[in-house]
Amino acid sequence: MDTVTALAIIALAGLMHATFQLSISMVTLLSSHSIGKKHSGAQTTRLTLGFLGGTVTMTMLVVSFLTAVLNSLFRAYIPLAVWAVVCGLLIGLGIAIWVFYYRRQAGTALWIPRSMARFLSTRAKSATSASESFSLGLTSVIAELIFMIAPALAAACSLSYLPHRWPLPALFLYTLIASLGAGIVVVLIGSGHKISDIQRWREQNKHFLQFIAGSGFLVLGAFIYANVVALAAVAGDVTLK
């Protein structure tokens, strides 16, 4: 695999990760609770930035862990069968997002178990410091790990093919792109936009966002299959050197 293809997969995987809505929901929830408690704008910003820092940190840790596991298992090159599994996960995830990412009710309630949703809501309501919101950010990534694992695994596989000194910047690139959704909402709230307006826009466009996210994962799965699996199979290279 060449460097351009590997970087393209990492960037696209990060972009698909950014379509997940849990971190955005948590930012709006955290901000609304903070504003409801009459906290200052500076304190609300600290809480949201702490949360964003937690999601960025945990995202980077998950991808780093997967990369380390793959490198320890396969050392030189990722077998073609692993790439095929990644493609299957991405395509399956795209279909799953189409079918049940949002709950069938008004609002933007997500698929996560109600017990986890209540836990996150309670933590967001009680958060009063940046450290508490940071830990909430860590937890929110874990709560969505079942969906996050597919793009993170695609990025981890691609990191193994980058030249020396490229993997760390590429890891930062993935994390930056993956955090765009929550980051944009943090900036919007910090610049004075009403949370109610942001939430209303999300509710009005949730089906469109759901369709785009699901379609994006199907496209990413097809891209990897065409440029990695099929190409290597034609060349007769089962290790994809």
Side-chain angles (χ1 to χ4, degrees):
M1 182 194 301
D2 59 84
T3 301
V4 174
T5 301
L7 288 174
I9 292 173
I10 292 169
L12 288 172
L15 186 60
M16 292 302 96
H17 186 156
T19 63
F20 296 150
Q21 295 292 308
L22 181 58
S23 60
I24 296 176
S25 296
M26 293 306 301
V27 168
T28 58
L29 185 62
L30 190 65
S31 300
S32 63
H33 284 315
S34 179
I35 293 172
K37 294 177 182 177
K38 308 298 182 183
H39 290 168
S40 65
Q43 185 171 0
T44 299
T45 299
R46 283 195 297 271
L47 289 175
T48 55
L49 288 177
F51 176 85
L52 183 61
T55 61
V56 167
T57 301
M58 184 54 75
T59 298
M60 192 174 299
L61 287 174
V62 169
V63 178
S64 299
F65 174 76
L66 291 174
T67 303
V69 170
L70 289 171
N71 287 338
S72 65
L73 289 176
F74 305 114
R75 300 193 181 279
Y77 300 104
I78 307 297
L80 197 59
V82 175
W83 283 104
V85 169
V86 171
C87 291
L89 286 174
L90 290 169
I91 293 172
L93 179 57
I95 296 173
I97 290 175
W98 276 348
V99 174
F100 61 80
Y101 189 68
Y102 285 104
R103 289 183 176 270
R104 299 183 183 278
Q105 61 188 58
T108 55
L110 300 177
W111 61 273
I112 61 174
R114 292 301 87 193
S115 57
M116 176 60 74
R118 287 192 295 270
F119 171 77
L120 293 174
S121 179
T122 301
R123 289 287 303 277
K125 187 176 182 179
S126 61
T128 57
S129 66
S131 59
E132 289 177 322
S133 61
F134 180 86
S135 65
L136 182 61
L138 298 175
T139 305
S140 68
V141 173
I142 295 174
E144 206 163 32
L145 192 59
I146 189 173
F147 277 120
M148 173 195 171
I149 196 69
L153 187 57
C157 288
S158 300
L159 286 171
S160 302
Y161 290 87
L162 292 176
H164 183 58
R165 295 183 180 178
W166 279 73
L168 188 57
L171 175 62
F172 289 146
L173 173 67
Y174 176 90
T175 306
L176 176 64
I177 296 175
S179 306
L180 277 178
I184 291 172
V185 174
V186 168
V187 171
L188 289 174
I189 294 174
S191 60
H193 287 76
K194 293 182 179 180
I195 299 175
S196 58
D197 292 339
I198 297 173
Q199 187 63 18
R200 187 180 304 111
W201 185 89
R202 292 180 64 218
E203 290 180 9
Q204 292 173 347
N205 295 276
K206 71 174 186 178
H207 294 302
F208 173 74
L209 295 174
Q210 183 177 8
F211 175 77
I212 290 297
S215 300
F217 278 102
L218 294 178
V219 170
L220 177 58
F223 177 83
I224 293 176
Y225 185 83
N227 290 275
V228 178
V229 179
L231 194 62
V234 170
D237 184 2
V238 296
T239 59
L240 190 63
K241 297 179 181 180

Coordinates of all heavy atoms in Angstrom, one line a residue, residues 10-19 174 177-178 180:
I10 N -7.0 6.9 6.5 CA -7.0 7.4 7.8 C -7.9 8.7 7.9 O -8.7 8.9 8.8 CB -5.5 7.8 8.2 CG1 -4.8 6.5 8.4 CG2 -5.5 8.6 9.5 CD1 -3.3 6.7 8.6
A11 N -7.8 9.6 6.9 CA -8.6 10.8 6.8 C -10.1 10.5 6.7 O -10.9 11.1 7.4 CB -8.1 11.7 5.7
L12 N -10.4 9.5 5.8 CA -11.8 9.2 5.6 C -12.4 8.5 6.8 O -13.5 8.7 7.2 CB -11.9 8.3 4.4 CG -11.7 8.9 3.0 CD1 -11.7 7.9 1.9 CD2 -12.9 9.9 2.7
A13 N -11.6 7.6 7.5 CA -12.0 7.0 8.7 C -12.3 8.0 9.8 O -13.3 7.9 10.5 CB -11.0 5.9 9.2
G14 N -11.4 9.0 9.9 CA -11.6 10.1 10.9 C -12.9 10.9 10.6 O -13.6 11.2 11.5
L15 N -13.1 11.1 9.3 CA -14.3 11.9 8.9 C -15.6 11.1 9.3 O -16.6 11.7 9.8 CB -14.3 12.2 7.4 CG -15.4 13.1 6.9 CD1 -15.3 14.4 7.5 CD2 -15.2 13.2 5.4
M16 N -15.6 9.8 9.1 CA -16.7 9.0 9.4 C -16.9 8.9 10.9 O -18.0 8.9 11.4 CB -16.6 7.5 8.8 CG -16.6 7.5 7.3 SD -18.2 8.1 6.7 CE -17.8 9.8 6.3
H17 N -15.8 8.9 11.6 CA -15.9 8.9 13.1 C -16.5 10.2 13.6 O -17.3 10.2 14.5 CB -14.5 8.8 13.7 CG -14.4 8.7 15.2 ND1 -13.4 8.1 15.9 CD2 -15.3 9.1 16.1 CE1 -13.6 8.1 17.2 NE2 -14.8 8.7 17.3
A18 N -16.3 11.3 12.9 CA -16.8 12.6 13.2 C -18.3 12.6 13.1 O -19.0 13.5 13.6 CB -16.1 13.7 12.4
T19 N -18.9 11.7 12.3 CA -20.4 11.7 12.1 C -21.1 11.2 13.3 O -22.3 11.3 13.4 CB -20.8 10.9 10.9 OG1 -20.4 9.6 11.0 CG2 -20.1 11.5 9.6
Y174 N -6.0 11.8 12.3 CA -7.3 11.1 12.6 C -8.0 11.7 13.8 O -9.2 11.9 13.7 CB -6.9 9.6 12.8 CG -8.2 8.8 13.2 CD1 -8.9 8.1 12.2 CD2 -8.6 8.7 14.5 CE1 -10.0 7.4 12.5 CE2 -9.8 7.9 14.8 CZ -10.4 7.3 13.8 OH -11.6 6.6 14.1
I177 N -9.6 15.1 12.9 CA -10.8 15.0 12.1 C -11.9 14.4 12.8 O -13.1 14.8 12.7 CB -10.4 14.2 10.8 CG1 -9.4 14.9 10.0 CG2 -11.7 14.0 10.0 CD1 -8.9 14.2 8.8
A178 N -11.7 13.3 13.6 CA -12.7 12.6 14.3 C -13.4 13.5 15.4 O -14.5 13.3 15.7 CB -12.1 11.4 15.0
L180 N -14.0 16.8 15.0 CA -14.5 18.0 14.4 C -15.9 18.3 14.8 O -16.3 19.4 15.0 CB -14.4 17.8 12.8 CG -13.1 18.2 12.2 CD1 -13.2 17.9 10.7 CD2 -12.7 19.6 12.5

